[in-house]
Amino acid sequence: MRINNKKFRTIWFEENKVKIIDQTKLPHQFIIKELKNVKEAINAIKKMEVRGAPLIGATAAYGLVLSIIEKNDLSFLNKSSEDLIKSRPTAINLKWAVDRMMKKLSGKNDKEILNIALNEAKNIVEEDIKFCESIGKNGLKIIEEISNKKKDTVNILTHCNAGWLATIDWGTATSPIYHAHQKGIKVHVWVDETRPRNQGASLTSYELNEEGVPNTVITDNAGGILMQRGQVDMCIVGTDRTLSNGDVCNKIGTYLKALAAKDNNVPFYVALPSSTIDWSIKDHNKIPIEERNSEELSHVEGIDENNSIKKVRIYPQKSKSLNLAFDVTPAKYITSLITERGICEASERGLKNLFK
Ligand code: MRU
């Protein structure tokens, strides 16, 4: 998608280095950063310079390419893959991408391994773009239907950033929105700010602005009253891990939005590529929920009147905090899942019908 009218992807490989857009600096500064080795790829994931389930998967794949460039040695590669998987625990795409790469590299000799790794990382990236585009085409039908019935602007609420910045291009939750907008359907997006890191306010609103999609940033707690007032036609969010029973793990606060949506008869959709499905667990209590640094809660970062980025503390130093990064929305609150293969019920039967 576009930044300043120029097309970008979130990650690319150039001159033996990986290039990323440093998302910790957005929306105030647009900085392209180089990752030169696997350690830098791991740090970029940990510090959330790259974030969003599909994008951290792609970064991990390129991280293995960097590992081979640095030292073409099997035990180093194995250690790199373990460290990459551990860098963030909740999004299954990370493990999915590393496992896929390692399977492809297994048994390959020193001379061919780099080319094979690079090709597979590129395949992961291209596949994600294709899948996100298909999610957009499938989700477009839902927005179109509401628009035809309502004959007015479709108001869509989203949480966190499941936009193109969280993927390689298009996004998951935003892809149907971009497709609708490009088709001339009138859409308006309610953007949850998404405390504590404000991915909604800093990233979703930013990327929607760049594409010219009307949007309004709201506090995380405003969705309920907007739904009660009939100002939300549908919710659409992304996911970091979807269980085979249709339960969805996503950014903290997603669950509360789904409850409010249920109470107000607002359809609640989850958009995902198949790389986000975890077929191995059925019990959501087994999902490792990332607990992040309390500084993300105790401090906020923004730009002052001199255009300098400042970080300020917002509550007493003595106060304890708990910073859980994700929660789980049970399948019963989800209207449908929107995938690259089509739309299905959030259930084992629904998912298996699409992904036999
Ligand atoms: O902690 P983040 O910013 O990586 O969390 C991102 C999300 O929760 C997204 O909704 C999810 O990864 C889906 S991305 C298409």
Side-chain angles (χ1 to χ4, degrees):
M1 306 301 282
R2 291 171 299 169
I3 293 176
N4 258 333
N5 267 327
K6 196 173 161 204
K7 280 199 170 184
F8 277 97
R9 287 179 172 186
T10 51
I11 192 164
W12 62 100
F13 190 79
E14 205 175 280
E15 293 167 357
N16 273 2
K17 287 173 199 96
V18 175
K19 302 269 179 92
I20 58 161
I21 299 167
D22 181 352
Q23 300 195 18
T24 60
K25 300 288 188 293
L26 291 175
H28 307 300
Q29 294 172 345
F30 180 78
I31 293 172
I32 292 174
K33 195 171 169 172
E34 264 182 18
L35 308 177
K36 296 183 285 301
N37 52 50
V38 64
K39 202 167 163 210
E40 289 184 358
I42 291 167
N43 278 336
I45 296 171
K46 282 188 177 161
K47 284 161 59 190
M48 293 176 64
E49 289 165 350
V50 283
R51 27 92 21 226
L55 179 56
I56 59 179
T59 310
Y62 275 130
L64 291 176
V65 173
L66 294 174
S67 166
I68 296 167
I69 293 173
E70 197 179 336
K71 195 172 169 187
N72 195 344
D73 167 88
L74 187 59
S75 62
F76 186 64
L77 187 65
N78 284 333
K79 174 82 173 73
S80 299
S81 74
E82 279 163 27
D83 291 346
L84 280 162
I85 289 174
K86 278 192 278 185
S87 59
R88 284 194 79 190
T90 303
I92 192 68
N93 303 59
L94 199 50
K95 186 175 178 322
W96 168 86
V98 170
D99 287 350
R100 174 167 160 173
M101 291 287 290
M102 293 303 277
K103 198 169 160 200
K104 197 87 190 174
L105 300 178
S106 152
K108 298 296 180 298
N109 69 42
D110 286 2
K111 284 202 184 90
E112 55 182 357
I113 198 165
L114 177 59
N115 267 340
I116 294 172
L118 193 51
N119 270 337
E120 194 60 2
K122 284 184 177 160
N123 288 341
I124 287 174
V125 159
E126 296 302 328
E127 190 180 283
D128 189 68
I129 296 171
K130 224 172 65 197
F131 285 2
C132 285
E133 193 174 359
S134 300
I135 289 169
K137 287 180 181 156
N138 293 330
L140 167 65
K141 294 174 207 146
I142 295 169
I143 300 178
E144 226 165 8
E145 205 174 295
I146 297 174
S147 165
N148 288 339
K149 243 193 228 154
K150 196 181 170 195
K151 306 216 177 327
D152 201 352
T153 304
V154 181
N155 287 304
I156 304 168
L157 185 141
T158 191
H159 191 68
C160 193
N161 174 262
W164 76 268
L165 290 168
T167 63
I168 318 298
D169 207 355
W170 289 107
T172 56
T174 56
S175 188
I177 298 171
Y178 288 133
H179 277 83
H181 178 70
Q182 289 179 7
K183 214 178 159 190
I185 297 170
K186 277 196 192 153
V187 287
H188 164 262
V189 186
W190 296 112
V191 179
D192 282 354
E193 60 171 347
T194 320
R195 281 282 292 148
R197 290 186 67 102
N198 296 317
Q199 290 96 324
S202 310
L203 303 174
T204 306
S205 181
Y206 169 76
E207 58 161 271
L208 291 171
N209 291 345
E210 295 296 308
E211 285 296 322
V213 179
N215 68 93
T216 307
V217 178
I218 53 174
T219 64
D220 287 326
N221 299 320
I225 189 168
L226 291 173
M227 291 184 210
Q228 284 174 326
R229 288 178 172 178
Q231 289 176 276
V232 182
D233 297 305
M234 64 183 278
C235 300
I236 182 165
V237 299
T239 164
D240 288 80
R241 194 185 289 232
T242 300
L243 301 192
S244 56
N245 64 4
D247 288 355
V248 160
C249 181
N250 191 47
K251 181 54 57 193
I252 194 84
T254 303
Y255 171 44
L256 294 179
K257 283 304 129 69
L259 287 179
K262 187 79 178 173
D263 194 42
N264 291 282
N265 287 322
V266 173
F268 191 91
Y269 296 98
V270 180
L272 63 135
S274 48
S275 53
T276 307
I277 305 171
D278 183 349
W279 297 102
S280 72
I281 48 176
K282 285 203 169 74
D283 174 3
H284 71 76
N285 292 307
K286 299 221 162 71
I287 300 175
I289 300 289
E290 180 176 8
E291 203 178 313
R292 293 187 63 86
N293 196 317
S294 62
E295 201 183 292
E296 289 183 351
L297 272 184
S298 60
H299 289 68
V300 284
E301 200 173 276
I303 199 160
D304 70 8
E305 61 282 2
N306 302 315
N307 276 341
S308 332
I309 292 182
K310 284 257 160 65
K311 202 176 206 181
V312 292
R313 165 176 282 281
I314 52 170
Y315 61 75
Q317 208 148 2
K318 271 188 178 170
S319 303
K320 281 202 227 155
S321 48
L322 172 67
N323 185 10
L324 296 173
F326 298 94
D327 62 22
V328 180
T329 302
K332 63 181 174 187
Y333 298 118
I334 298 165
T335 309
S336 302
L337 302 173
I338 307 169
T339 77
E340 76 269 16
R341 293 215 185 156
I343 298 169
C344 72
E345 183 184 84
S347 67
E348 183 147 10
R349 193 186 46 197
L351 280 168
K352 283 203 171 145
N353 264 341
L354 285 184
F355 301 96
K356 291 219 169 72

